[in-house]
């Protein structure tokens, strides 16, 4: 992962929430919230919350006595998440690095993280931090994307951009969001961090959009892929987005488009 793969700023948070969240994140947020509630947690920490799709799914389900600390490394993403959340005295918003969590040992019943672990520079270190702040027997619940070939729109966009920039294809999607899919490696990283009873479920869902342009805009302008496109040729973002939309239309049709998405959902015990 490159250092630039962590900088969500400018218009990216708004485009991310507007396009990416309904396209690929909402079904997994609902699933993660349901899994979390099955554990009846009283004190919850969310790491790498992004624009708050899990927060919006989970907070209404928690008990009135629960506490919920929502964190992200990127303040612009966290600010946007807070702006989307109804006032809730149980929620504390805090900028925090998953590699060095600013919390006491054995504070939380549950640490959850949706599609953030792929961005951790050193995953065993981040996992040790999650384990440190969990109470004995507490749960770490998180999700990561499966390989890019199992996620059609991401693969379509990546392949399309490789045709536009053949000498230096933008590989952000394959490198980072879809770069941590090996289940043996996930098991090994969690074991190194001291977790036990690790279970990994692979969950396929469908990504839907009213037109091919929506996923093209979502990936090209609502993720850090935007930075890679603009770095290669100034003013090429609109052309690249249009080309990605054409590639999706060629494969999935020109009306409503439906494609496979797939992720791993991981549960580990401290």
């Amino acid at each position: 992962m490159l250092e630039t793969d962590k900088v969500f700023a400018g218009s990216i948070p708004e485009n991310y929430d507007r396009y990416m969240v309904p396209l690929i994140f909402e079904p997994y947020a609902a699933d993660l919230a349901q899994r979390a509630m099955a554990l009846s947690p009283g004190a919850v920490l969310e790491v790498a919350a992004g624009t708050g799709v899990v927060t919006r799914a989970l907070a209404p389900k928690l008990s009135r006595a629960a506490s919920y600390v929502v964190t992200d490394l990127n303040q612009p993403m966290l600010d946007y998440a807070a702006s989307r959340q109804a006032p809730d005295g149980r929620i504390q918003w805090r900028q925090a690095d998953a590699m060095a969590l600013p919390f006491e040992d054995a504070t939380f019943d549950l640490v959850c993280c949706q599609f953030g672990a792929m961005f951790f520079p050193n995953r065993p270190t981040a996992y040790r931090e999650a384990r440190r702040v969990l109470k004995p027997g507490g749960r770490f619940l998180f999700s990561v994307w499966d390989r890019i070939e199992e996620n059609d729109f991401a693969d379509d966009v990546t392949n399309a951009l490789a045709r536009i920039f053949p000498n230096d294809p933008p590989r952000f999607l394959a490198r980072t969001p879809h770069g941590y899919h090996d289940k043996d490696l996930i098991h090994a990283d969690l074991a190194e961090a001291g977790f036990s009873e690790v279970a990994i479920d692979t969950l396929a869902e469908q990504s839907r959009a009213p037109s091919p342009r929506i996923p093209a805009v979502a990936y090209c302008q609502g993720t850090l892929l935007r930075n890679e496109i603009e770095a290669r040729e100034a003013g090429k973002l609109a052309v690249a987005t249009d080309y990605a939309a054409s590639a999706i239309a060629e494969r999935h049709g020109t009306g409503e488009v439906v494609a496979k998405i797939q992720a791993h959902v991981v549960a580990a015990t401290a």
Side-chain angles (χ1 to χ4, degrees):
M1 185 183 70
L2 304 180
E3 190 64 26
T4 52
D5 288 357
K6 298 184 291 183
V7 184
F8 288 79
S11 64
I12 289 177
E14 182 178 358
N15 284 335
Y16 179 98
D17 197 66
R18 180 180 179 185
Y19 295 111
M20 292 300 293
V21 164
L23 187 70
I24 62 173
F25 291 123
E26 283 182 345
Y28 290 104
D31 175 79
L32 201 71
Q34 183 176 2
R35 292 170 188 259
M37 286 311 301
L39 303 172
S40 301
V44 179
L45 170 64
E46 184 177 351
V47 177
T51 57
V53 61
V54 170
T55 315
R56 294 191 292 273
L58 179 55
K61 299 178 182 295
L62 293 172
S63 72
R64 292 184 179 181
S67 64
Y68 191 178
V69 182
V70 183
T71 71
D72 197 271
L73 177 65
N74 291 274
Q75 190 66 46
M77 295 288 270
L78 196 64
D79 291 343
Y80 195 89
S83 76
R84 290 289 316 276
Q85 188 75 34
D88 191 329
R90 301 169 302 169
I91 299 177
Q92 177 187 350
W93 305 92
R94 186 162 180 180
Q95 191 276 337
D97 187 346
M99 307 287 292
L101 293 171
F103 306 109
E104 299 293 329
D105 295 359
T107 299
F108 300 98
D109 303 304
L110 171 68
V111 174
C112 63
C113 177
Q114 174 165 272
F115 302 122
M118 307 89 69
F119 294 89
F120 298 159
N122 185 307
R123 294 179 190 97
T125 296
Y127 296 165
R128 275 192 289 272
E129 277 293 276
R131 184 172 180 271
R132 179 184 65 79
V133 302
L134 279 168
K135 299 174 184 178
R139 299 296 185 88
F140 183 28
L141 184 62
F142 68 97
S143 55
V144 296
W145 291 114
D146 201 350
R147 64 194 189 108
I148 197 167
E149 293 84 0
E150 300 291 347
N151 290 269
D152 290 345
F153 289 148
D155 200 33
D156 294 338
V157 170
T158 298
N159 292 334
L161 294 179
R163 294 192 289 273
I164 298 179
F165 304 101
N167 296 325
D168 188 16
R171 296 287 295 168
F172 166 72
L173 296 176
R175 180 180 63 248
T176 300
H178 297 279
Y180 186 57
H181 55 77
D182 185 317
K183 290 191 281 188
D184 289 339
L185 177 59
I186 296 168
H187 273 285
D189 286 346
L190 286 165
E192 182 179 341
F195 280 98
S196 61
E197 299 178 30
V198 176
I200 302 178
D201 293 336
T202 300
L203 182 62
E205 292 282 357
Q206 285 192 319
S207 181
R208 295 177 177 272
S211 74
R213 182 162 182 80
I214 296 300
V217 172
Y219 283 104
C220 292
Q221 300 184 26
T223 75
L224 299 186
L225 186 59
R226 175 178 189 147
N227 298 342
E228 289 199 347
I229 295 169
E230 293 180 324
R232 278 153 180 77
E233 186 172 340
K236 199 69 176 282
L237 180 63
V239 173
T241 303
D242 290 345
Y243 189 79
S246 297
I248 293 170
E250 183 176 345
R251 184 176 178 191
H252 301 281
T254 58
E256 182 185 27
V257 289
V258 181
K260 178 185 177 182
I261 48 176
Q262 188 161 291
H264 302 312
V265 183
V266 186
T269 303

